[in-house]
Amino acid sequence: HTEENAQGPLQKSCGTKRNRQRAHTKRNLLIIRYTQEMKYQIIYADPPWDYKGQKQHSGKGKQDTGGAIKHYPTMKLQELKDLKPMIDELADENCLLFMWATSPHLDQAIELIKAWGFKWATVGFVWDKQRVNPGFYTMSQCELCLIGKRGRIPHPRGARNIRQYLPHPREQHSKKPDETRTRIELMFPTQNKIELFARQQVNGWTAWGNEIQ
């Protein structure tokens, strides 16, 4: 697979984190649109969901770890929906979208899947972080990777016995288990794959994200 890194320097004139994120998104949209001719059958995304400044607490008597905005620029739902032209450029006629969503954003995630032109399919992976977080209702421990579908499931298929349950200790803030990519590769070994909002380059994947070195 051809690997493309659409990362580039952000303009210093952008004032706030949100403005820098918008500038980065628009710039990379143009880069992918005009230099990336490859179509992808697998799109893997971990959107920077907006928590409206809500902080994440480590437990009673402990300090909060800061909200998502402390770690990376977040995007509102409409800003994510506005990426539809880029998604249309990237997605093949038969394409699967693997999208991470936290529990408070499940409704927005399914809405975004449809806004990007995919049909809601199922839950692909249930990540057990093996560590609990306090919550308003029950103690949070799992995160879901949802699947949306355009057209048909891409062929040829690979492994058909991949488990949905994914136990893996939580690492740094928001980082998803590398095992997720490995399982997707086993399911679809020959398809073109791209990771959106990526943090690193991975062999065999095209990567797009503002944290890539």
Side-chain angles (χ1 to χ4, degrees):
H1 303 287
T2 301
E3 293 185 6
E4 295 283 344
N5 184 352
Q7 169 68 5
L10 298 175
Q11 295 296 326
K12 294 182 179 180
S13 59
C14 297
T16 65
K17 286 185 177 180
R18 186 169 301 283
N19 286 337
R20 290 197 299 271
Q21 178 71 16
R22 288 197 187 101
H24 177 269
T25 297
K26 290 178 180 178
R27 178 180 181 276
N28 284 332
L29 172 57
L30 293 174
I31 290 174
I32 289 180
R33 176 175 294 173
Y34 294 112
T35 68
Q36 180 57 266
E37 297 180 357
M38 182 182 295
K39 289 288 187 178
Y40 296 89
Q41 295 81 47
I42 301 296
I43 297 177
Y44 177 47
D46 185 14
W49 301 106
D50 178 31
Y51 285 84
K52 301 179 180 179
Q54 179 180 341
K55 295 181 178 180
Q56 180 178 350
H57 293 274
S58 299
K60 186 176 181 180
K62 297 181 180 180
Q63 294 182 342
D64 65 74
T65 63
I69 191 65
K70 180 179 179 180
H71 300 273
Y72 49 80
T74 60
M75 296 177 69
K76 295 183 181 297
L77 179 59
Q78 187 57 54
E79 292 175 315
L80 291 168
K81 287 182 177 181
D82 290 343
L83 295 178
K84 172 67 157 52
M86 181 181 79
I87 301 300
D88 288 341
E89 292 285 340
L90 297 174
D92 203 352
E93 180 180 3
N94 297 318
C95 179
L96 292 184
L97 169 65
F98 290 80
M99 177 189 289
W100 283 104
T102 59
S103 296
H105 290 94
L106 280 179
D107 60 337
Q108 294 186 33
I110 294 176
E111 185 177 344
L112 181 59
I113 286 172
K114 295 177 179 179
W116 279 359
F118 293 81
K119 292 183 179 180
W120 160 248
T122 188
V123 175
F125 301 108
V126 178
W127 173 28
D128 178 0
K129 302 179 182 180
Q130 302 184 339
R131 178 180 174 183
V132 297
N133 287 328
F136 290 107
Y137 305 97
T138 57
M139 299 187 74
S140 172
Q141 185 169 337
C142 295
E143 194 165 334
L144 304 179
C145 184
L146 313 180
I147 297 179
K149 182 176 67 171
R150 280 194 184 196
R152 298 182 178 182
I153 298 175
H155 281 78
R157 298 281 294 271
R160 301 289 291 269
N161 61 344
I162 300 300
R163 298 292 184 91
Q164 182 187 59
Y165 179 63
L166 201 168
H168 189 279
R170 190 179 72 185
E171 301 178 69
Q172 64 260 42
H173 188 279
S174 189
K175 182 184 183 300
K176 304 306 186 290
D178 293 339
E179 174 69 17
T180 313
R181 281 190 225 91
T182 300
R183 293 189 182 190
I184 294 173
E185 290 170 357
L186 291 172
M187 295 168 66
F188 301 99
T190 65
Q191 281 75 14
N192 296 331
K193 306 171 187 69
I194 185 170
E195 181 175 356
L196 305 183
F197 309 104
R199 297 184 173 195
Q200 59 183 330
Q201 288 280 172
V202 177
N203 187 37
W205 292 72
T206 299
W208 178 81
N210 65 352
E211 294 188 36
I212 301 172
Q213 300 298 322

